[in-house]
Amino acid sequence: MSNQNISFTATQASVLSTSKVLKNTYALLSMTLLFSAVMAGVSVAMNPPQFTGIVTSLIAMALLWFVLPKTANSSKGLYVVFAVTGLLGFGLGPILNAYLHTGNGGQIIMTALGGTGIIFLALSAYALTTRRDFSFMGGMLMVGMIVILIAALANIFLEMPALSLTISAVVILLMSGFILYDTSRIIHGGETNYIMATVSLYLSIYNIFVSLLQILGIFGNDD
Amino acid sequence: MELWMKIGSALLLGTMLVFLLPRAKHMLQNSPKAGEGDWKAVLIPLALLVLFILFLITMIQS
């Protein structure tokens, strides 16, 4: 009887801890997405040169790999998350400006934004309601990322529009897989740090938005 | 794209590859195997996602 009580209390504590991580992750994710959008708006208004995106991405990547793992368990991690998401948002400025200077650029950006929101909400709701364990996808998703990075690297010099479109389409599928994988990890206690969980989900949303913007730009541009 | 921007982008992607390769290897070796119906549970939402993107494309073209 006493063992059953201990087991029940432990399960209850685990469920409470999981829902706390989930709640904190979504709260921080909302704030970082908002901050990122504000920074993108500032960047659009400032109209920085094209290379800004590359520079901010390099700095954000350095923060993600060298600083965040050391600070993720403290409040300093929050500053790093906002720095990363702010930089990535600011880096979007030149891309958004390029679209805004085309005929229906505004419509393309808003459709990509709305589409990204719907994709994220639908996939999160699916993972949360089914409570299925998607951890089996981890290896496949990482291999997919490696393949897509090699293809993107080659396409910088090959400049093939068809390959570019394929890469964007595959990135959306991969990032959608990552949303299922990351949400399932939070639900099943695989990820207990809400800062790391937020960064993973933010990067998936960011990549879906950029890729969807590119696909809609290719198919929907009048110019 | 200018040459130095191409080099910058290549540097960015190359660095990502270098950092992701060991993680990918680790995840590939340590990921649990898929059970019955697991892949179906992934492929159905992804198929719906493809349809949704096609819908967005037709919406933007109209």
Side-chain angles (χ1 to χ4, degrees), chain A residues 115-156:
Chain A
T116 306
I118 292 171
I119 292 169
F120 173 70
L121 289 175
L123 290 171
S124 301
Y126 178 72
L128 288 168
T129 50
T130 59
R131 299 191 74 83
R132 204 176 254 275
D133 185 3
F134 290 107
S135 59
F136 68 93
M137 289 166 70
M140 190 276 295
L141 288 171
M142 287 308 284
V143 171
M145 273 299 294
I146 299 292
V147 172
I148 222 65
L149 280 174
I150 293 169
L153 192 60
N155 206 37
I156 290 173

Side-chain angles (χ1 to χ4, degrees), chain A residues 51 54 58 61 65-66 108 111 119 126 132 134-139 142 149 153 156 159 172 176 181 219, chain B residues 4-6 9-10 12-13 16 19-20 27-28 31-32 34 37-39 41-42 45 49 52-53 57 60-61:
Chain A
F51 65 83
I54 299 171
L58 272 170
M61 241 171 48
W65 281 324
F66 302 115
I108 291 172
T111 310
I119 292 169
Y126 178 72
R132 204 176 254 275
F134 290 107
S135 59
F136 68 93
M137 289 166 70
M142 287 308 284
L149 280 174
L153 192 60
I156 290 173
E159 294 183 343
I172 294 180
S176 301
Y181 174 80
F219 284 106
Chain B
W4 67 271
M5 270 187 73
K6 283 185 181 178
S9 305
L12 182 73
L13 293 176
M16 282 173 83
F19 276 90
L20 281 180
M27 279 175 84
L28 202 61
S31 283
D38 276 348
W39 279 113
V42 174
L49 175 78
F52 177 65
I53 291 168
I57 292 169
I60 206 98
Q61 282 177 333

Side-chain angles (χ1 to χ4, degrees), chain A:
Chain A
M1 185 67 187
S2 131
N3 278 347
Q4 272 180 341
N5 279 344
I6 292 167
S7 165
F8 181 69
T9 313
T11 312
Q12 235 180 355
S14 161
V15 170
L16 280 173
S17 152
T18 301
S19 72
K20 194 181 168 192
V21 174
L22 201 62
K23 207 173 112 185
N24 287 341
T25 301
Y26 284 137
L28 185 59
L29 186 65
S30 316
M31 286 189 275
T32 52
L33 285 171
L34 198 66
F35 180 62
S36 200
V38 170
M39 290 307 286
V42 169
S43 178
V44 166
M46 285 172 66
N47 198 12
Q50 278 290 324
F51 65 83
T52 309
I54 299 171
V55 176
T56 53
S57 298
L58 272 170
I59 301 170
M61 241 171 48
L63 286 172
L64 275 176
W65 281 324
F66 302 115
V67 185
L68 191 65
K70 290 174 189 162
T71 56
N73 290 316
S74 67
S75 58
K76 283 178 192 162
L78 289 171
Y79 296 112
V80 181
V81 173
F82 278 100
V84 168
T85 55
L87 280 165
L88 290 174
F90 193 82
L92 280 176
I95 304 170
L96 296 178
N97 263 334
Y99 278 97
L100 286 172
H101 284 99
T102 61
N104 57 345
Q107 190 197 355
I108 291 172
I109 292 171
M110 291 318 288
T111 310
L113 196 63
T116 306
I118 292 171
I119 292 169
F120 173 70
L121 289 175
L123 290 171
S124 301
Y126 178 72
L128 288 168
T129 50
T130 59
R131 299 191 74 83
R132 204 176 254 275
D133 185 3
F134 290 107
S135 59
F136 68 93
M137 289 166 70
M140 190 276 295
L141 288 171
M142 287 308 284
V143 171
M145 273 299 294
I146 299 292
V147 172
I148 222 65
L149 280 174
I150 293 169
L153 192 60
N155 206 37
I156 290 173
F157 300 99
L158 295 172
E159 294 183 343
M160 290 163 65
L163 183 57
S164 173
L165 187 65
T166 311
I167 290 168
S168 296
V170 176
V171 165
I172 294 180
L173 291 175
L174 278 175
M175 292 303 139
S176 301
F178 269 114
I179 290 175
L180 292 176
Y181 174 80
D182 289 328
T183 310
S184 138
R185 259 169 60 83
I186 300 170
I187 299 168
H188 294 97
E191 182 59 86
T192 51
N193 186 312
Y194 73 96
I195 292 179
M196 296 305 276
T198 301
V199 169
S200 303
L201 289 173
Y202 173 88
L203 289 176
S204 299
I205 295 170
Y206 177 88
N207 284 315
I208 288 176
F209 173 68
V210 173
S211 301
L212 194 54
L213 193 63
Q214 195 171 10
I215 290 176
L216 296 176
I218 291 170
F219 284 106
N221 235 322
D222 309 325
D223 302 341

